[in-house]
Each structure stands twice: as C-alpha cells, then as structure tokens.
Amino acid sequence: MAKGVKILERKYSDIEKQLSGFIAFVDTFVEDDKEVLSFKLSQFDRLNAKYESVKEEIFTSLSDGEFKNFDGKITTCNEHIEKLEVRLKSLNLKYSKNNNETGSNAVSNVIKPCFRLPELSLPLFNGDIETWFIFKEQFKEIIENCGLNDKQKLQYLQSCLIGIAKHVQTVDDSYDSLFLALEQKFENK
C-alpha cells in the first residue's frame, strides 16, 4: 500500500499547490482582474471536484495508520476551500456584468432580492458548534455586502437555520438580535 500512499500524497500536494495559487489570486485581487473571475471560478470548481475525488480515495483506500498522515491536512484544506469559495463568489457577485436572472428554479436558500443578482446558495447551519465560525463567516460575507435591509437579512438568516439552530430564542424579531443570540449560544461553548 506504500505505493498507493505515495501516489495520493502527490495528488494531494498538487491540489495544495493549486489552492495556494487561488489564495494568492484572491489576496492580491485588483479590479483589473475582474475579467478573469468567471474563468477562475470554473477552475476552482474543477479543483474542488478533483479534491473531493482524492479525498474519497484517501477515506476508502487507506488504513487508519496511513490516514493519520492526511487527517490534519484534510481539515486545513476543507477550511481553505470553503473560504476561497465564499471569497471568489463574493468577488464574482460584486463585479458581475451579467445582472440577468439565470432562470433557474432553484428551491430554497438562494438569494433573489428585488435588485438582480446572480443566484448564490447560502450556507446552512444546524447547530454544530464546529461549523459555526465557517457558517458565520460565509453568511456575513454574502449577506452583509448585498445592501439588504434588516428584515431581508433576518429572513435569509432564518432560512439558513436548521435543526437546533432553528429554535434559538431572541430578545426581539430582528437580524441583529438573532445573530447575537446565535453567537452567544454557539461561540461560548
């Protein structure tokens, strides 16, 4: 199995290098780069699919001992991919020239405000403390930069809450109050 581990290490290393390139692109993004955003997003989607495939190979073909070499790397890579996806989609949303609705009949958790924005799926939060900070960062990055009013933000936030997170009690019926209640419940544990 040592040969299989080496092959997976090489594949994983290649993915990490490509991720570093995306991080550099986002970190040094200037408005002139907006012309390549949609291309970068499609490249990122392909890289994400490749990563999921390699991750599946790691989960299914390695012994517990061999897997330990990848465990921390996978956690870090998952976090980088989630953050990059939010940042790339936010940039694309900000600089998108095509403000026409796509005509998609996407069901729930898709932003469709009164001014035309490309559809963007919102993250869901089920009350799992380990995923709170990622949800918080992604949600705020998307919602708070869209110029929505408090009621609209509240509706989107409520639509993203599932499981125990849906039952969090608030002082009043406002976006800020609900977000504060979520922070108090899931950040202080």
Side-chain angles (χ1 to χ4, degrees), residues 51-52 55 73-82:
Y51 170 66
E52 289 299 324
K55 192 167 67 169
K73 290 180 180 182
I74 289 173
T75 302
T76 302
C77 202
N78 284 340
E79 291 170 0
H80 286 307
I81 284 178
E82 288 174 1

Side-chain angles (χ1 to χ4, degrees), residues 8 10-12 20 28 64 110 118-119 127-128 144-145 151 156:
L8 287 173
R10 287 183 186 132
K11 287 180 180 180
Y12 204 86
S20 294
T28 60
D64 290 343
V110 174
E119 291 183 359
D128 179 8
E144 294 193 356
N145 294 324
K151 283 195 179 283
Y156 284 120

